[in-house]
Amino acid sequence: MVKNEVEMANLPKRLAELKKEAEACEDCPLSKTRKNVVFGEGNIRADIMFVGEGPGQVEDETGHAFVGRSGQLLDKMFKDVGINRKNVYIANIVKCRVPNNADPSVEYRLTCIKYLREQVKIVKPKIIVCLGRIAATTIIDPNFKITKEHGIWYNRKNFFMMATYHPSALLRNPDLMKDAQNDFKILIDKYNEIKK
Ligand code: URA
């Protein structure tokens, strides 16, 4: 095997090891209240990675990302633009549920971000889409304003990044849906462009 193939063959093992590490993590107080660590999942060679905020109640109970009401809406939005969940990777900024659906504090985010960083290094997506303010302010820019900057591309060394509204914001405020749907179209345009 040439080096690249060896690296590729090792990816599932590296990701599985990282998942095990995250599942044993006790680096912040959320480890005491979580039912499950929601590591993230999807295609290990995905070109597109979606990054949410952190597990909700259903995710905490099942250990899977975006499977509650927000996840159902996300699936619908995927379907509308022809994205198959099996072809993308989905992760969160924090891997454990914050009780009472509070925002994850900056401290929790900074403690947990090491897992997402490694996931990005292993999966090497070409595009990262932040779902909501928490993801965007954590990994694009601390001053990110989702209402003004959603749907705009930010070039990083190894990938393109953009943010759109979190599905839970869309459930609370359906007026935002048109903008979010347009962001998904912008995403598909970029994907088609880089696949040329
Ligand atoms: N909200 C998130 O940000 N992530 C999930 O996995 C579920 C709901």
Side-chain angles (χ1 to χ4, degrees):
M1 268 198 264
V2 294
K3 183 164 173 276
N4 207 18
E5 283 173 350
V6 175
E7 273 177 13
M8 295 288 264
N10 282 331
L11 293 186
K13 194 164 159 244
R14 281 175 58 203
L15 207 55
E17 280 167 4
L18 185 67
K19 184 167 188 255
K20 258 194 163 170
E21 210 182 293
E23 283 169 350
C25 182
E26 293 185 351
D27 291 350
C28 87
L30 297 181
S31 61
K32 298 198 170 53
T33 50
R34 74 180 176 224
K35 290 194 177 115
N36 283 290
V37 171
V38 180
F39 178 70
E41 57 214 40
N43 192 317
I44 201 164
R45 283 161 199 158
D47 286 324
I48 307 174
M49 182 183 281
F50 290 87
V51 179
E53 172 179 328
Q57 188 182 351
V58 185
E59 290 77 16
D60 182 45
E61 278 161 10
T62 59
H64 295 288
F66 281 102
V67 288
R69 278 186 75 215
S70 291
Q72 284 160 19
L73 178 57
L74 188 61
D75 283 341
K76 186 184 172 303
M77 294 172 80
F78 283 168
K79 195 163 167 240
D80 288 347
V81 293
I83 293 176
N84 186 335
R85 216 188 224 250
K86 290 197 187 105
N87 294 333
V88 299
Y89 195 88
I90 305 180
N92 282 303
I93 297 287
V94 297
K95 310 301 193 205
C96 297
R97 183 175 186 224
V98 183
N100 305 318
N101 298 329
D103 284 353
S105 65
V106 172
E107 198 186 332
Y108 294 157
R109 293 184 231 167
L110 293 180
T111 305
C112 208
I113 199 74
K114 54 184 177 279
Y115 297 114
L116 182 66
R117 282 214 182 96
E118 285 305 306
Q119 285 170 303
V120 170
K121 274 193 204 155
I122 295 168
V123 177
K124 288 198 176 73
K126 295 186 173 66
I127 295 172
I128 298 180
V129 180
C130 293
L131 297 170
R133 171 181 60 89
I134 296 289
T137 54
T138 309
I139 63 175
I140 299 180
D141 179 345
N143 297 315
F144 196 91
K145 293 275 173 293
I146 195 96
T147 47
K148 290 201 181 112
E149 296 171 278
H150 68 89
I152 296 175
W153 289 110
Y154 294 81
N155 294 1
R156 293 292 190 264
K157 212 165 110 206
N158 298 317
F159 40 79
F160 296 97
M161 293 180 97
M162 75 120 107
T164 188
Y165 291 103
H166 192 284
S168 66
L170 301 174
L171 288 169
R172 280 195 308 272
N173 185 357
D175 287 350
L176 299 173
M177 197 63 191
K178 266 211 155 64
D179 280 347
Q181 284 169 329
N182 196 46
D183 294 341
F184 269 64
K185 288 196 186 110
I186 292 170
L187 164 64
I188 296 300
D189 287 347
K190 176 64 85 183
Y191 176 72
N192 289 335
E193 184 190 314
I194 62 173
K195 287 310 273 181
K196 265 186 201 156

